Amino acid sequence: MTRFINLLAAGLLAAASAVDALSLKLASNEGNVTDPLKHGLMFEDINRSGDGGLYAELIRNRGLQGSSPSTKGYTALSGETITVDSTVPLSKALPRSLRVATSNATAGGFKNTGYYGMDIKRGNTYKGSFYAKGDGVSKFHVSLASEDDGTVWASKDIAAKSTDGWSKYDYQLRPSKSAPSVNNSLAITWEGADTVWFQLVSLFPPTFNNRENGLRVDIMEALQELGMSFLRFPGGNNLEGEELGNQWKWNETIGPLIDRTWNYDNSDGLGLIEYLQWCDDLHLEPLLGIWAGFYLNGPTISEADLQPYIDDALAELEFITGPATSKYGALRASLGYPKPWTIRYVEIGNEDNLGGGKGSYSSYRFRLFEAAIKAAYPSITVMASTTEISPIPANAWLDYHIYGVPSQLVKNFNFFDHANRSHPIVVGEYAYIQDGSAVDWNAPKAAFSTLQGAVSEAVYMLGLERNADIVRGAAYAPVLQNLAESQWSPDLISFTANTTQTVRSMSYHVQKLFSLHRGDIVLPLDASDAAFDPLFWSASRSTDSREYVLKVVNYDGEATTVEFEVPRRGVRSGALHQLTAPAPDSVNELDKTASVVTEKRVAARNGKFSFEMAPWEVAVLVMT
């Protein structure tokens, strides 16, 4: 995640002036062709957005991994002693186990309360499993129960296997009624031994599209509603890693969970295959991040030592895209995925202008990775992780990030009007994060996006749309936030363990309006000498549906009448979508939705469409 605000370009906007009417006319039916990417998602596994969030696993700390392994999430039932044991490994990737010992030679047990609770619903099937090792165990008993009053929602007996080694146990639980709160836990008890070791205790609710090891339904549905076009992954600092050996390693995130390691405080249950399935399920173009030889806290891999990491990147691309007859394509096929995926976009690194990485990135790291990838995959578009690379490589796309206060985003409306047109740009991260005149990184960030913040983002997005010849795509960031444990706000979607408490922010509704209603050619408008600010606008048309789309944003202006004329015959009706809220500081939060999103049919009169806009409003008119 960047702590970076761009310097304002020359020729930025003048002070706002009052506008009580705006008359717009389509000046031409031709304009800048937009890229199919346009609007997308950047996923960085922070804010408990992966484990404890989108990744549907309910058990916390199932692998006893991380930089400081502990028994967090586990509690004794009747005075048992629970410890992390490194002498009884389950696998190379999982070198520790949960040792549960009891003074009662015939029975014992423990429970796990999940990531701040477990949402238990009647009619759902919860698929569970665990590995256990213990001499003399005759049976196990698993149960889902309330932490408030002990009510058991579902339970099952499991016969123990007669072996001295590790055994895997699978089970399903089907609650007969729903729990009134998320204050629930999974308990496992046993009979016949005083000490038992456990690993990979797991429990999944139903997942999106019923994927094994899949993703949480309510969050995926919220993401699906956005209608985005691409997913940049693995995003942010998760890709780089904090220190030597801690980078995101694609080959340690594939295959059975028993073989997956732990990196950057992630279980890597949400791994490379799961990311690609996410793209499949939501029809997203994958924008793959490749580790580029630089750690957040050092060191930087020298030029002489970089080749093995370049080879690893090529192996990852072959794993994803290669035929089943290739070395790594065969590995993919052996995991149950014979059909390759397609990768058209690769980004080398993440924010390599920061933390002392810019010099080596410009000098050799980007150049060597790009040359190798283009030699093996000439059709792949390769993107640099910063606009500050020097010199800018020929044919490379660039990644630009900005986080700001509302006034900065608005002033940057025409920033890309002055950009070098020879290098396409993806705005890989952007968002309103704070109020005031400038970002103060030592002060708290906004907890939720405000109406003013979301409207300022809409102004900035209009600037991106108007420069579609160079700005090929953009992604709001971060996407997800677990309200019980997070380090960055505001976020597009906030959630808790309760699947009915998925909060769609003010920014979410702006993203949805812009993503769902977009043309593929941005058109010039005649504004009758009206100047941008406080009103901002953009128009486009779709060659497939023959729709025209007008977007207008009223940032801190007065109530305004907007007229729009399309000279083309036959354009007579449309749908007007409007977003507003009671006040500029209104937010959507738990149990309180302030955003007001409306849709109504409108008809042209005398060849013109007309509608009213309130201050602090986003309007999208879709005409056919």
Side-chain angles (χ1 to χ4, degrees), residues 47 65 220 228 250 449 486 564:
N47 296 333
Q65 299 161 302
M220 282 291 281
M228 293 297 188
W250 70 271
S449 65
S486 64
F564 181 56

Side-chain angles (χ1 to χ4, degrees), residues 111 113 145-153 179-185:
K111 63 183 178 182
T113 52
S146 169
E147 287 286 287
D148 295 322
D149 59 15
T151 299
V152 175
W153 310 115
S181 78
V182 297
N183 195 22
N184 305 296
S185 62

Side-chain angles (χ1 to χ4, degrees), residues 402-403 427-432 457 460-461 464 474-477 511:
I402 176 173
Y403 295 92
V427 180
E429 299 178 26
Y430 70 95
Y432 146 81
E457 291 164 354
Y460 184 71
M461 293 166 69
L464 304 183
Y476 178 102
Q511 294 290 321

